[in-house]
């Protein structure tokens, strides 16, 4: 059963607890730049909208990665960005030797869900914490939920 994060921006109060929990989980630091989830605030409308990787069915970030073409024939090859077919999670691991550091995956994402951490120039994206997203557990308003993909009905953010 594949699951994904569903956002209801009407419930988001902009507290950014989700970002702090995510950054602590990913980097061991409370740094919003290290978070795989972002809150976009619109000061004119007074709204806050959580933004997170959509774990796309056909991820263009994976297709944009030139690592496989570059390292073709090299054994063993472990792609730096790939989808786990069982869980549907798109994983990004820039620490792998196969990662060229070219950021093509970041540039290809139409939702801006892969981001550059300015401190160490590493990329960060949501990986659903391996299937137990801590941002969902910490959200005090229920604005982000972890639901079966079949329940999304094509609307990720309200």
């Amino acid at each position: 059963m594949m699951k994904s994060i569903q956002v209801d921006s009407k419930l988001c109060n902009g507290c950014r607890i989700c970002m702090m929990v995510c950054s602590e989980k990913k980097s061991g630091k409370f740094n919003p730049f290290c978070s795989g989830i972002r809150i976009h605030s619109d000061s004119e409308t007074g709204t806050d909208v959580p933004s997170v990787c959509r774990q796309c069915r056909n991820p263009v970030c994976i297709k944009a990665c030139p690592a496989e073409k570059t390292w073709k024939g090299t054994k063993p090859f472990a792609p730096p960005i790939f989808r786990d077919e069982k869980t549907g999670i798109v994983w990004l691991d820039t620490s792998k030797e196969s990662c060229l550091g070219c950021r093509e995956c970041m540039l290809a994402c139409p939702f801006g869900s892969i981001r550059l951490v300015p401190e160490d120039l590493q990329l960060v994206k949501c990986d659903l914490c391996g299937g137990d997203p801590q941002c969902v557990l910490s959200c005090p308003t229920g604005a982000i939920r972890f639901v079966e993909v079949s329940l999304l009905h094509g609307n990720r953010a309200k």
Side-chain angles (χ1 to χ4, degrees):
M1 167 179 59
M2 289 190 186
K3 296 178 85 174
S4 189
I5 291 178
Q6 183 179 41
V7 172
D8 186 344
S9 60
K10 293 176 190 165
L11 297 176
C12 181
N13 65 11
C15 69
R16 292 171 170 69
I17 291 173
C18 56
M19 291 175 62
M20 293 299 106
V21 168
C22 181
S23 71
E24 198 280 329
K25 170 90 175 175
K26 289 195 163 298
S27 69
K29 299 180 277 188
F30 292 108
N31 179 345
F33 291 110
C34 299
S35 175
I37 187 169
R38 293 287 166 110
I39 306 296
H40 299 282
S41 298
D42 184 333
S43 59
E44 290 185 25
T45 61
T47 57
D48 297 290
V49 179
S51 173
V52 66
C53 177
R54 297 176 183 214
Q55 313 296 327
C56 298
R57 183 175 29 167
N58 294 308
V60 292
C61 54
I62 294 175
K63 293 176 183 169
C65 180
E68 187 169 353
K69 291 176 187 163
T70 302
W71 301 108
K72 188 174 184 176
T74 304
K75 300 283 181 181
F77 171 72
I81 187 164
F82 62 98
R83 173 191 289 282
D84 180 322
E85 294 303 326
K86 185 176 180 183
T87 63
I89 298 171
V90 176
W91 291 92
L92 172 64
D93 184 355
T94 58
S95 68
K96 289 184 176 177
E97 285 187 35
S98 62
C99 181
L100 302 172
C102 63
R103 302 179 192 147
E104 288 296 322
C105 57
M106 180 180 80
L107 297 172
C109 178
F111 306 106
S113 296
I114 301 175
R115 300 175 188 97
L116 184 67
V117 178
E119 291 175 356
D120 58 10
L121 303 180
Q122 294 295 310
L123 298 177
V124 64
K125 72 170 280 305
C126 173
D127 55 18
L128 301 174
C129 295
D132 188 24
Q134 299 301 295
C135 58
V136 172
L137 298 174
S138 67
C139 181
T141 64
I144 47 178
R145 298 182 302 147
F146 196 44
V147 300
E148 289 183 42
V149 171
S150 62
L151 299 177
L152 289 175
H153 301 293
N155 293 325
R156 298 234 177 205
K158 293 181 182 177

